Every structure is written in C-alpha cells, then in structure tokens.
Amino acid sequence: MAQLSYSSGTSDVPLLGDTIAGDFDRAVAAHGEREALVECATGRRWTYRELAAEVDAVAAGLWASGVRVGDRVGIWSPNRAEWVVVQYATARIGAILVNINPAYRVHELEYVLRQAGVRTLIAASSFKTSDYAGMIAEVRPRCAALRQVVLLDGPEWTELHSADLPEWPELSADDPVNIQYTSGTTGFPKGATLSHHNILNNGFFVGELCGYTHEDRICLPVPFYHCFGMVMGNLAATSHGACVVIPAPAFDPAATLKAVADERCTSLYGVPTMFIAELADPGFDSYDLSSLRTGIMAGSPCPVEVMKQVVERMGMSEVSICYGMTETSPVSTQTRRDDSLDRRVSTVGRVGPHLEVKVVDPEHGRTVPRGTPGELCTRGYSVMLGYWEQPDRTAEVVDAARWMHTGDLAVMDDAGYVTITGRIKDMVIRGGENLYPREIEEFLFTHPDVLDAQVVGVPDAKYGEELMAWLRMRPGTTPLTAEAVREFCAGRLAHHKVPRYVHVVDEFPMTVTGKVRKVEMRRQAVEILGLADEARTDSGAADRA
C-alpha cells in the first residue's frame, strides 16, 4: 500500500507554555547586558535590560491610559525600534496588537480600525509620501472605538511612558495577542487572530531549526507588520537571547548589505526579490559579508539560481527555506541546516516540530499518496484562533478537525519533504491541461538574460486560458520577444507550457512585503493584450487571487 502524504514533527524540545512577556523576562534575566536591538538608521542601541525598561515604561503608560486585557492597540509604521517596543509592551498587558500595513490608505485604514475595534492607535507621523497623521485625522471621526492616537514622532509618544509600574495582569498563553490582516484580493482583508502560544512557539522553533543562540545577530529588512518580521524575526531572536538589527525603515538593498557588514550579522532574512536586489547591487562586492552563516528565505518560491548565489556569494551556507501563512503563525515547514542544496532549492523542507501536515485531494479531502499533488493542510499549535469576528470565514479554511486548508498545491516525497507547485487559484487550465506557473518560471530563469520571471494565466477564447510570461531583464541585455522565448523553449519545454505572450518590465507589481501580486498582473494583462471580451466570457483567469 502506498505511503500517504502525511507527516508529523517530532521533537525532544517541548513546546513553550508561557506568554510572550514571561519568555521575554527569562531572556532579560539570562542576557541582560547583551545587545538586544540595533537601529542602524539612527545608531540607537539597547541591551536586553535597557529594552525591558523601555517596554515596561510603554506598557505602564498604555495601562495608565486605560488599555486593558483584550483591548486592541493598532500599530501603523514602517520598521523602527518603537515598533518592537510596542509589540512587547502590548503583550505585557494582554492587549491585542493590530498590525496595520504601512502601504494602506484611508479606505483600508478605516476598515481595519473599525473591523478590529481599535482603541488606541500608535503610528508614525509620516513616511516618504505617506501622511499617516493626515489620514488618521480624516478617518478618526468615523471610528467610534478609537479613543487615543499616539504619534511616534510627537510628544504623545514621550508622554505615553510611565515610571509607575502597575501590577501586571495575569495572562494565559492561549489569550489572543495579535491580529494580522491577510492580503485581500477579493473584498476586504481578514484579521487572523493569533495567541501567545501560536506565535511565541513558532518564532522559537524557527529559531531552533536555524540553530540560534545568544551569539546570533539577525538582520531584518522584512516588515515587522508581517509575521516574517515580528514572529520569525523578533520572537525567534528574543526567545534565544539573540540581537535584532533593523537596517532601515523600509527595504533598501545597500542599507541591508551595510548593516550586515557593520553589525557582523550572522543571519539575514528576505523574500527572493530582496535577495535578487542585494545580489544585483552595484556595490555588492565591497561589503564584508563573512559573518553570515544562516538566514531565512520565504514568502514566495525561490528561483534555483538565486539560492545558489545566496549560498556561494553571500556565504549563507545554512540558509533556510520556510513555508507558511499568516493563519499558521506563520511557518509550517522548514529546511534543516544539514539539508543538501538540492533540498533547499527544490523543496520547502519538512514539517516543523509539534506540527502536522498532509496533502489532500481538493475535491473530496482525502489524503493522497506521496508523490501525488494536492492541497497542503496543516494542524497543530500554530493554527490561528480564527478570523477576528468572522466565524463564517474561519469555517471556510479551518475544518472540524482543526486542519488549516492553505489553498496551496503541494507534493510530499517519500522522505516527507514538501514542494509547493503553486496556488490552487494560480493553476492555469489550458485546453483541459493543468499547468503550474512555478515550473515554467524556473525554466525561464535559466535564460542567461533573465533576471526574474513570473507566469500568469490570461483568458483565451479557444483554450480558456493561455500563458503570459512577465520578465525582468538583466542590465544591458536586449528585451526578449515572444518569438525569442519560444525559440529558447523549443525542444526543452512541452509546447503547451510555452508562454504565448511575453511582457518585459522593470519591476513587477509587488505587495509591501515583497510578494509578487499576480492578481494585479492578470488584471493588467487583460488591458495590455486587449482581452476584455475574453475576460467577460471567462472571468476565471482575470479574477483569481
């Protein structure tokens, strides 16, 4: 009988049963004089003891202002030290931190404030072209629950600090501590509600698999408002007594490379597009990256060639691939430090400690044999409490047995390693053939002139859908035409997998976290190719998220 696509993560290390504040207190007691946080843009530094004092002062200030256990406190800011302080201060008093995407504008801000019932909003005054203070002033009259606004660059932030520490409330590790809004591609985003137990353990075990100790220094160019920054970064660091290094308020390849070199970082995080930008930076060879040992690449599939360069040119021999989603705190599978390069470039690793994963037939839900594609599901301590005040939406993705249905297509091999082949909604059906964009993207990436490739489905009157490749070219090369791509694919890729359309761009439409927005690419493709009529008769390709 064939082995089923199911795997559970065994571990000799038990789950942490404490709250985030309890775990942080232990780190302060053990590593009080070690550096905990560095902000490169301002040169500010905190030891664990100094950071704890700042966290307690802000927690006391929030408590004095009337914030209580379960109240929602919003944070709307690019990466900065105060973001970290607010994360741990709200956890200290049992408030629920609501992460607000720095790219949001008035409409989205108002929705989140109202949907989560945010009581206190802590925000940057502005950043680049974003006038946060102005947008807050516009929506505040329409947000009944919002009683307090604290601008990080104004006197309100200083006034929030209090030296009069209250008796901290008793909390449970199962209490909600964080709401993160997942990217909404149709309708409004949903607020994944996460507990102390969810995110503290996920950060801890991600750090365990990276081999973190108090000697590590983790460079975080990824946004704090997302799990990548605040869980896999901040919580992985503090649960091991390591140091968080903030290279810049928003991703900047040169600033990131400089931070790694100046601060002797041992670990670097990023989505593939960030590593591509760093490797392509004109001054790359001038930075001493010899301190790097490990890091995490996640968020979207990593092209094989990029991973090879990260290992060879950046020295990240133990770099880890992580896979997950906000609703699972986020990591479900991860490659190990001793995995071969082939494992790290072709899979997203094995199930994490104390978790379960399985691959099921999307139609009937039964677990499929290993080697058979299907939908990846995960279960365990990491699965969210639910979408904030949306039990119906929760029930759509978390089944009665507490399995989280990811919507991702995957294959599990005989050793339990998982390969993500695409999103169920990204799969292109051309003339009845199921086509998986990632396979085609990996092939196009082998073209010497291609810097990056993304493939989407576009509506077609004859086949239902056709393939369109969006390409970014290497500097100084000639843009590829559809004919040139067909010639490159000839005899090497099945004819039905060869993109019919080719579109060369300088940049892909991106989310603030660096993920490619394929839904936006499909919408633009309909206009670029003049396929409005086809889109009306076959809306699937244009509307899928």
Side-chain angles (χ1 to χ4, degrees):
M1 183 177 176
Q3 187 177 10
L4 294 177
S5 296
Y6 168 87
S7 182
S8 60
T10 58
S11 177
D12 294 330
V13 181
L15 286 165
L16 301 177
D18 211 342
T19 62
I20 290 170
D23 185 76
F24 183 62
D25 287 344
R26 276 194 298 276
V28 174
H31 309 290
E33 304 314 312
R34 288 187 172 275
E35 217 160 48
L37 182 63
V38 175
E39 185 179 72
C40 296
T42 62
R44 295 184 294 170
R45 297 170 182 272
W46 292 260
T47 64
Y48 266 91
R49 204 169 306 286
E50 291 166 343
L51 180 59
E54 178 78 359
V55 166
D56 284 353
V58 171
L62 287 169
W63 191 264
S65 73
V67 177
R68 292 295 181 264
V69 176
D71 284 349
R72 273 76 67 205
V73 175
I75 177 76
W76 194 29
S77 166
N79 283 14
R80 55 192 291 173
E82 289 82 0
W83 209 112
V84 182
V85 171
V86 171
Q87 177 183 346
Y88 288 84
T90 50
R92 166 75 72 197
I93 62 173
I96 302 173
L97 184 69
V98 179
N99 301 4
I100 303 174
N101 187 329
Y104 276 179
R105 291 298 178 261
V106 171
H107 187 54
E108 299 148 316
L109 171 66
E110 181 178 347
Y111 171 78
V112 167
L113 294 177
R114 289 164 62 93
Q115 204 276 328
V118 170
R119 181 196 188 284
T120 295
L121 176 60
I122 301 174
S125 298
S126 63
F127 181 67
K128 294 184 177 178
T129 60
S130 294
D131 178 10
Y132 294 132
M135 287 186 275
I136 292 167
E138 181 177 340
V139 305
R140 190 171 185 177
R142 301 192 292 272
C143 299
L146 185 60
R147 302 177 208 166
Q148 180 182 24
V149 173
V150 176
L151 295 179
L152 294 171
D153 306 299
E156 304 95 338
W157 174 249
T158 302
E159 293 164 3
L160 186 65
H161 293 59
S162 173
D164 185 15
L165 302 185
E167 183 175 337
W168 303 120
E170 291 187 11
L171 305 172
S172 165
D174 294 319
D175 290 341
V177 74
N178 186 218
I179 297 175
Q180 298 202 28
Y181 281 84
T182 61
S183 302
T185 49
T186 54
F188 284 104
K190 304 178 291 293
T193 307
L194 305 169
S195 69
H196 294 257
H197 193 67
N198 286 150
I199 60 176
L200 174 59
N201 276 290
N202 205 261
F204 174 69
F205 280 103
V206 165
E208 286 287 286
L209 294 184
C210 287
Y212 287 158
T213 72
H214 58 267
E215 300 288 345
D216 281 292
R217 299 174 68 82
I218 308 169
C219 183
L220 296 181
V222 295
F224 288 147
Y225 91 88
H226 188 270
C227 273
F228 203 169
M230 69 165 286
V231 179
M232 300 157 68
N234 295 343
L235 288 172
T238 58
S239 62
H240 290 87
C243 179
V244 168
V245 175
I246 307 172
F251 175 65
D252 178 279
T256 300
L257 293 168
K258 186 176 188 301
V260 170
D262 290 352
E263 296 297 329
R264 307 308 294 154
C265 293
T266 59
S267 177
L268 172 62
Y269 287 13
V271 296
T273 51
M274 291 180 176
F275 284 101
I276 290 170
E278 289 154 10
L279 289 161
D281 188 85
F284 179 86
D285 291 329
S286 67
Y287 297 103
D288 178 4
L289 307 181
S290 60
S291 59
L292 282 176
R293 168 183 66 84
T294 186
I296 294 176
M297 197 180 298
S300 58
C302 175
V304 173
E305 292 303 315
V306 173
M307 175 59 83
K308 288 179 179 176
Q309 289 186 52
V310 165
V311 171
E312 293 169 6
R313 297 181 63 201
M314 301 182 83
M316 296 169 60
S317 59
E318 297 179 14
V319 64
S320 183
I321 294 289
C322 288
Y323 162 82
M325 59 194 308
T326 303
E327 291 89 338
T328 55
S329 301
V331 177
S332 296
T333 68
Q334 186 173 350
T335 58
R336 283 18 179 200
R337 285 179 288 162
D338 57 353
D339 279 340
S340 67
L341 183 62
D342 180 62
R343 290 283 196 202
R344 280 181 270 167
V345 298
S346 61
T347 79
V348 292
R350 294 180 281 131
V351 64
H354 302 287
L355 294 174
E356 301 171 88
V357 294
K358 66 177 180 178
V359 180
V360 303
D361 185 311
E363 292 185 17
H364 56 60
R366 289 190 291 273
T367 306
V368 299
R370 296 208 177 184
T372 303
E375 182 183 16
L376 185 65
C377 301
T378 187
R379 180 169 68 179
Y381 75 81
S382 67
V383 176
M384 66 174 178
L385 300 178
Y387 293 125
W388 183 259
E389 295 189 343
Q390 290 185 300
D392 53 334
R393 303 301 298 274
T394 304
E396 292 173 3
V397 295
V398 181
D399 66 25
R402 292 293 297 166
W403 284 101
M404 176 74 205
H405 291 252
T406 67
D408 284 321
L409 292 164
V411 176
M412 183 184 294
D413 69 15
D414 289 339
Y417 285 82
V418 174
T419 299
I420 303 298
T421 58
R423 293 283 295 168
I424 289 176
K425 294 178 179 180
D426 278 347
M427 184 177 70
V428 178
I429 304 175
R430 179 189 183 276
E433 292 267 8
N434 292 348
L435 305 179
Y436 302 98
R438 185 178 179 194
E439 175 191 0
I440 302 162
E441 291 162 359
E442 290 280 6
F443 174 76
L444 293 176
F445 201 87
T446 64
H447 192 291
D449 295 345
V450 172
L451 181 64
D452 203 355
Q454 298 291 327
V455 173
V456 296
V458 297
D460 183 76
K462 181 177 180 181
Y463 292 105
E465 289 186 86
E466 270 287 6
L467 296 171
M468 179 181 187
W470 289 51
L471 304 177
R472 291 176 59 212
M473 309 304 298
R474 295 191 182 279
T477 60
T478 303
L480 292 175
T481 63
E483 182 179 354
V485 169
R486 280 194 295 273
E487 289 177 2
F488 180 70
C489 296
R492 305 170 69 195
L493 200 63
H495 68 89
H496 61 281
K497 296 179 183 178
V498 177
R500 178 176 176 182
Y501 306 105
V502 171
H503 183 51
V504 175
V505 295
D506 292 329
E507 298 291 340
F508 299 132
M510 308 288 282
T511 67
V512 72
T513 57
K515 291 184 180 180
V516 175
R517 295 197 67 233
K518 285 197 171 183
V519 64
E520 179 61 26
M521 294 169 73
R522 283 188 284 265
R523 288 182 181 135
Q524 289 185 27
V526 170
E527 298 178 12
I528 293 167
L529 301 174
L531 299 175
D533 290 341
E534 288 84 349
R536 278 191 288 271
T537 57
D538 180 19
S539 61
D543 295 338
R544 284 183 296 185

